[in-house]
Structures are given as C-alpha cells and as structure tokens.
Amino acid sequence: MSILSNLFRPRDKPRNNINSMPGFFFGGTTAGKYVNERTAMQSTAVYACVRIISEAIASLPLHVYRYRPDGSKERVVNHPLYHLLHDEPNDEMTSFVLRETMTAHLLLYGNAYAQIVRNGRGDVIEIYPLMPNRMGVYRDANRQIFYRYMSDYGEFTFTVDDILHVPGLGFDGLIGYSPIAMAKNAIGVSLAAEEYGAGFFSNGAMPGGILEHPNIVKDPAALRDSWAQAFGGSGNAKKVAVLEEGMKFQAISVPPEDAQFLETRKFQVDEIARIFRVPPHMVGDLEKATFNNIEQLSLEFVKYTLQPWLIRLEQAMNKSLLLPSEKSSVFVKFNLDGMLRGDFESRMRGYSTGIQNGIYSFNEVRQLEDMDLLSDDEGGNTHAINGAMMKLSQIGAAYQKGVDDNNA
C-alpha cells in the first residue's frame, strides 16, 4: 500500500488541493447560506455575470492561423483543428456550446477540463468537456502530471496529452481557485437577501406580528392558521382585516426600509459584478451609465474582462492541441475585431484614416464589415496613400523644379 501511495501521491505544492480544504471551498457562509456552484447560480447577479462572459467568449470567431515567411499570418482552413474549434468539436455539440461550457466552468470552479481524442497520427479528432468537480490532478513518481476523472461509469486516468486544462487564478500555476469559493460570503449575503425578500412578500408584504386577545383562546393554532390563510401571501397584501372580540394586531418585525433591504440588495449586485469584473450596466445597474461613457465601459469590458480569459484559453489550446512540430508556426486565436469596433460613424472615420495612410486595403475594410470583396481590377487589394503627402525635403526640390521650368 505504501508503494502505491508513493507512486500516486497528489502534487505537493500546495500539498492539499483547495477542493479538500473544509470551510475554505464551497460551503457555509457567515450569512448562514450554503454556497456552491449551483446555489450561487440562483443569485441573479452571479447568473448574469457568468452568462454574459460565457456567451461573449463563445460568440467570438475562433480561427487557426499560420505564420507566413514574411511575418504576416493567414487562416489555415484545412487544418484538422479548424473545423473542431470553429464549428463542431464533437458529434454532440457545437463550438459555441463547448466554449460556453468551459468558460462557465472557469468562472464557477476556477478550472476547465476537456478530453482530447486523437487519431493514430496524433491529430485531434474530438474534444469533450469534463466536469471540474470530478477531476483530480496528481503527480507520479517521475513528477509527471496525470489526471483522474470520476465519471458515472468509473474512474479513468488520463495523461497530459489527453486533457485540455485551462486553469484560472491560483497559487501554484497548475490549479485555479474558484471565484465562487473565494467570494462565497458576498454571494451568501446576496442569497440571504433574496430569501428574505421572498419571505417578506410571501407574508403579504406585511411584517410579522402578534394577535392579542383579551380572553383565553381555546385553539391558538386554528386562529393563527385562519389568519395566515386570510391575509398571507402577496395576493392578500393591503387586504383589510376585521378583528372581533377585542382582538388586536401588533407588528413586531423591522420594516424593510429600516433594515435598508433594497440598498443591501443593490450593494451585493455591485459586489458580485466586481468579483467577475463585469461593468454594472451589463447586469442591469444603469445608475452610473450615461450616453457618454457606456461605449467606453463596453470597450473596457472587452479589454479588462474578456481579454485575460481569452489569452488563457488561447495559450491552453496552443499548448495542448497543437503537435510539437506545429507550435512554432501554427496558433489558435480569437478575433476581437467585431467587439472592439465602435459605432458606425467612429468605424467609418477609422477606416477612412486607415485607407488614406495605406494601413487598410478596400477589401480588408469590406471584410471587417461582412461585405462582398472587390476584384483586383477594381483595386480591392491595393494599398494606397494620399498623394498630397510628401517629405519636407521634397517640397523644396519640387518648388525649385517649378521655378526652373518657368524660367526655361
């Protein structure tokens, strides 16, 4: 038994996986709510943030490129990976679903795993996502990493070549730590506030209280149930109560406005948006959004929120999916041009500047706008520069030539 434990011991930095740390990973919170990846998604703010980032990344074009000898790049449509990453990674799902699922795993668990199926030549022929909470990462006696996955059909062991692993932020660079686990107290407060609000409205949007009777009540339970049936629930809110035999109702609960219930819920939305680095206006909080800054906020979402996740995915795919002989010339990359483009007027000004300075050809601009390309006879692939521009040294020469021509 000791030999086996030495051969298959967990990696030792850190010695324990965060998934096995009681009280630190998913679990109870100071707000009294149990938080895991599924209960966290019951918070509308968490669900919105995870959905926004996952769908944004899944909707971006993903292509396979090759470096040309001149240093430029070109798409490699006939590469075995192109169809898998751009269209269908396997027979069960589309590329959108795969990337959406893996990004959601990253945001909830801090890690994303996928099984890589290869043919005899080593080319990738299928990619299947795996559940992060069923995966374990270990080192063998030779310090080589391997993976153990507990499925419904038993335990399976995979080598590094069989798994696409995208780790999030972590302490050792090998395993990411769950954002949900790190912020479970903030999410727990949000869930507790939602539960309080639901209970408040289920009681007729009225505070709890005491029914006072001047005499002895023979059946208190029947009286209480009768009151709840007549006045409980949001449908009975503001219903007029008729009290008999000198009975009185005395409210004892703190009104929600005194407990700053609405302010608490709003603060927790901002808190959760901060965890995922999502601009508040994208989760429905338009308090600080204006016509002047909303486009800038959207561009910052692309730059500071999406781009780090995209780089993680790109580099993990390049590391795990490409053959060793390809890594110096072939790479996988998301296309962010569509999300970085501004409004129509701003795009046209940018295109005009690019064409006049030889940066863009007409076809490159038309391709960005999903328009039909022009032929070479129409100048579609020509790079030109504004003819009115010339060097300062040439201005004097041209002037002197004009003088000489006039004197001749």
Side-chain angles (χ1 to χ4, degrees):
M1 189 68 179
S2 59
I3 298 178
L4 290 177
S5 62
N6 288 331
L7 285 175
F8 301 106
R9 65 179 184 274
R11 47 187 185 78
D12 50 5
K13 290 185 179 181
R15 185 173 298 277
N16 295 318
N17 191 311
I18 189 171
N19 292 297
S20 63
M21 292 185 182
F24 183 70
F25 199 54
F26 299 135
T29 65
T30 54
K33 302 300 295 181
Y34 187 87
V35 173
N36 59 26
E37 79 287 351
R38 298 187 184 274
T39 60
M41 288 287 277
Q42 295 175 6
S43 168
T44 55
V46 174
Y47 183 88
C49 290
V50 172
R51 182 179 181 183
I52 287 168
I53 298 176
S54 299
E55 290 182 346
I57 291 177
S59 62
L60 290 173
L62 178 59
H63 302 295
V64 179
Y65 293 94
R66 176 184 289 117
Y67 288 113
R68 292 172 176 166
D70 61 358
S72 62
K73 66 178 187 293
E74 62 179 350
R75 291 188 195 176
V76 191
V77 182
N78 58 352
H79 193 280
L81 279 178
Y82 193 95
H83 176 70
L84 296 177
L85 298 179
H86 188 268
D87 301 308
E88 297 180 18
N90 55 65
D91 295 336
E92 301 175 356
M93 62 189 64
T94 63
S95 174
F96 183 99
V97 173
L98 173 69
R99 287 181 279 154
E100 181 186 43
T101 302
M102 293 190 67
T103 305
H105 288 171
L106 267 173
L107 296 170
L108 294 172
Y109 294 95
N111 294 275
Y113 301 93
Q115 181 184 357
I116 305 171
V117 181
R118 303 178 186 271
N119 60 17
R121 297 189 302 271
D123 297 326
V124 180
I125 57 176
E126 288 181 314
I127 304 172
Y128 289 93
L130 300 173
M131 288 299 297
N133 59 339
R134 297 186 174 189
M135 182 69 77
V137 184
Y138 303 89
R139 288 189 187 274
D140 60 18
N142 297 320
R143 310 282 302 162
Q144 298 298 314
I145 295 176
F146 69 95
Y147 300 86
R148 278 182 178 167
Y149 187 72
M150 182 62 67
S151 73
D152 295 335
Y153 307 100
E155 184 178 284
F156 296 88
T157 301
F158 298 99
T159 66
V160 173
D161 295 333
D162 299 325
I163 295 295
L164 168 61
H165 179 199
V166 187
L169 176 66
F171 296 154
D172 62 351
L174 294 179
I175 291 183
Y177 290 169
S178 167
I180 301 298
M182 295 297 184
K184 65 180 181 180
N185 284 327
I187 297 171
V189 171
S190 177
L191 293 174
E194 288 188 10
E195 182 178 339
Y196 173 81
F200 172 71
F201 285 103
S202 68
N203 288 322
M206 293 288 291
I210 298 174
L211 285 173
E212 293 185 6
H213 198 284
N215 300 316
I216 298 175
V217 179
K218 296 181 180 180
D219 193 351
L223 179 60
R224 181 175 60 249
D225 294 341
S226 176
W227 177 272
Q229 183 178 2
F231 304 106
S234 57
N236 294 321
K238 305 300 181 182
K239 189 174 180 180
V240 177
V242 178
L243 303 179
E244 300 177 352
E245 300 178 358
M247 192 163 52
K248 298 179 181 180
F249 176 80
Q250 179 182 355
I252 60 173
S253 295
V254 178
E257 58 269 23
D258 294 342
Q260 296 184 332
F261 168 65
L262 295 179
E263 288 79 1
T264 299
R265 292 209 62 188
K266 183 181 180 304
F267 176 78
Q268 289 311 118
V269 171
D270 293 339
E271 188 84 342
I272 292 172
R274 187 180 301 118
I275 295 168
F276 292 100
R277 204 184 298 167
V278 173
H281 78 275
M282 299 189 75
V283 293
D285 183 1
L286 300 177
E287 181 179 357
K288 297 182 181 179
T290 66
F291 288 108
N292 296 326
N293 70 356
I294 198 155
E295 182 179 349
Q296 184 61 36
L297 290 174
S298 299
L299 292 177
E300 289 182 357
F301 169 71
V302 175
K303 183 176 180 180
Y304 298 113
T305 304
L306 294 186
Q307 193 164 353
W309 291 115
L310 294 176
I311 294 176
R312 287 181 189 275
L313 289 165
E314 289 171 353
Q315 294 188 352
M317 291 177 183
N318 290 331
K319 177 178 179 295
S320 300
L321 301 181
L322 294 175
L323 296 174
S325 58
E326 298 177 317
K327 292 184 178 181
S328 60
S329 59
V330 179
F331 62 96
V332 175
K333 190 170 183 62
F334 288 91
N335 188 346
L336 273 171
D337 292 340
M339 298 196 73
L340 291 173
R341 290 185 296 178
D343 57 70
F344 181 81
E345 183 179 358
S346 300
R347 296 202 312 273
M348 292 304 108
R349 288 200 303 266
Y351 293 153
S352 178
T353 302
I355 290 175
Q356 292 180 19
N357 290 279
I359 299 172
Y360 290 132
S361 68
F362 293 115
N363 278 345
E364 287 172 336
V365 172
R366 295 175 71 87
Q367 193 170 23
L368 290 173
E369 291 295 320
D370 294 326
M371 300 172 66
D372 294 335
L373 302 183
L374 302 177
S375 65
D376 290 337
D377 294 337
E378 296 171 309
N381 297 313
T382 301
H383 287 77
I385 193 168
N386 194 327
M389 304 289 291
M390 63 178 62
K391 297 179 181 179
L392 291 175
S393 60
Q394 294 177 338
I395 294 177
Y399 174 78
Q400 185 62 45
K401 184 177 185 302
V403 172
D404 293 342
D405 290 342
N406 290 331
N407 294 333

